[in-house]
Amino acid sequence: MTTSLTETLRIPTDDGEADAIAAYPGDGGRHPGVLMYPDGFGIRPVLRDMARELAGHGYYVLVPNIFYRTGPTPVLELPEHIGEEARPAIFAELMPLIEAHTAERVLRDADAYLRFLTTQREVRPGPVAVTGYCIGGLLATRTAAAHPEQVAALAAFHAPVHAAGPDALHRLTARVHFGHAESDLTPEALNELNRTLDAAGIDYTSEIYPGTVHGFTMSDTDAFDPAALRRHWDRLLPLLAERP
């Protein structure tokens, strides 16, 4: 692992500017780009830590504030630990933001995020990877489907990827890993999703992480599962390393 640098950036979009963080190795070189979509709770210390950890493996990681239209980070006032008692008030604020974040907005923003990522001087020319958590995993999937020529690897964790729809899933050309929470997906639903991915003819893994609940990668929530987080890294890092 190399030492990572972190900076705050502003990404020009069709609807204004999205604040973002970037983490990348501090060696002065150029590295493969990764667009990391956060979960609905947004950019906060746990996402910064995950971006830095991934950057330490040799990647330039860009994490945008997906709800920038509402305001800069932090969009939501969050406690240090997001326990069950805090969730009703948080979701009362969060759900309208998610509902307003239409597929059209997602794709407009994806264009801007990828354009910005691929023009950073620290990013190596060539295909990029996209990853995401929770709602961010759905955004990552829609991004990869809309940009098959740019996105070579896609990973999504405890994410409603099925909501992208069969048409989007059939447009995927990237190598894919979907890591599902056991609480989010029945075995029957997993089989249906995987049949759709089979029909797309792509190289993928799609599996339920045993004993997990939604949000298992996030150490600032009650859902956190350290073993599942390790499994997430064990799946994600080889997927990225295989990219051209």
Side-chain angles (χ1 to χ4, degrees), residues 16-159:
E17 284 188 325
D19 57 296
I21 61 166
Y24 51 92
D27 57 8
R30 304 182 80 182
H31 301 276
V34 180
L35 174 59
M36 177 187 284
Y37 284 104
D39 62 0
F41 296 141
I43 298 171
R44 58 195 193 282
V46 66
L47 264 297
R48 292 185 177 92
D49 290 345
M50 293 175 79
R52 280 194 292 264
E53 181 159 355
L54 183 53
H57 290 276
Y59 299 95
Y60 181 104
V61 185
L62 180 67
V63 187
N65 168 15
I66 61 175
F67 299 132
Y68 68 88
R69 293 173 181 85
T70 299
T73 302
V75 176
L76 303 172
E77 292 298 330
L78 299 171
E80 285 189 20
H81 182 83
I82 305 168
E84 286 302 316
E85 70 286 349
R87 293 175 76 87
I90 294 170
F91 274 87
E93 291 185 69
L94 177 59
M95 290 311 298
L97 303 184
I98 292 175
E99 290 164 3
H101 204 59
T102 61
E104 181 185 8
R105 280 188 176 184
V106 170
L107 296 181
R108 284 207 311 271
D109 288 346
D111 292 346
Y113 299 156
L114 289 174
R115 185 166 55 246
F116 185 88
L117 173 63
T118 56
T119 55
Q120 297 309 292
R121 61 182 175 82
E122 299 90 355
V123 175
R124 180 185 303 168
V128 301
V130 183
T131 186
Y133 304 89
C134 181
I135 187 67
L138 173 59
L139 307 191
T141 302
R142 285 178 165 158
T143 298
H147 295 273
E149 75 290 347
Q150 280 188 283
V151 178
L154 162 66
F157 300 92
H158 46 86

